[in-house]
Structures are given as C-alpha cells and as structure tokens.
Amino acid sequence: MERGLAVLEHVGMRQEISTNAIATQLGLSRSAVYRIVHTLKELEYLEADHVTGRVRLGARLVELGVQAMSATDL
C-alpha cells in the first residue's frame, strides 16, 4: 500500500510521467511499478495518455477530494 501511495503522490507532483521514470525516480523495480500502475488505472486512480502512454491522476481522486472537502468544516 505504501508503494501505491508513493506512486500516486509522485505522479501528482509531476502532472504526467512515464512508468519507467516512476520506477527510476522512486527506486522501485519496473515490474512492481507496472503492476501498481495497472491496478491504479483499473481503479481509475490513474489514467494514461493514449498517445504518450504517460500516466496522470485520474477521476477517482477528484471524487475522493470532493468527498473530503464536503466532510471538512472550513
């Protein structure tokens, strides 16, 4: 779970990034990152650009953010 969250945070800081770059920059194996990214895409936490293959944050994270904001007294 920690590695999955690390991937999400890393993608969020970079806006759009390749899976190979994630692996290199986080010091994780490419196969582990591919599995994590695949799962996060299936769950819509990440989405991939169809041309470049780079990943970015997905719609599910927006939904979670809205839920978090509505539960917070600001």
Side-chain angles (χ1 to χ4, degrees):
M1 188 161 175
E2 288 178 16
R3 293 185 302 168
L5 291 172
V7 168
L8 283 176
E9 290 178 359
H10 197 72
V11 172
M13 290 187 302
R14 305 296 185 290
Q15 303 298 316
E16 195 172 271
I17 188 170
S18 72
T19 304
N20 285 336
I22 295 169
T24 301
Q25 293 169 12
L26 292 181
L28 299 172
S29 71
R30 286 191 297 164
S31 61
V33 172
Y34 275 96
R35 285 191 306 273
I36 292 166
V37 167
H38 175 75
T39 299
L40 292 172
K41 287 189 322 189
E42 289 289 315
L43 297 171
E44 298 182 354
Y45 288 99
L46 291 179
E47 59 185 38
D49 182 286
H50 297 293
V51 175
T52 65
R54 292 175 171 219
V55 293
R56 59 182 167 260
L57 298 180
R60 182 69 183 124
L61 287 172
V62 174
E63 294 171 12
L64 287 176
V66 169
Q67 291 170 357
M69 291 298 292
S70 67
T72 302
D73 291 332
L74 292 179

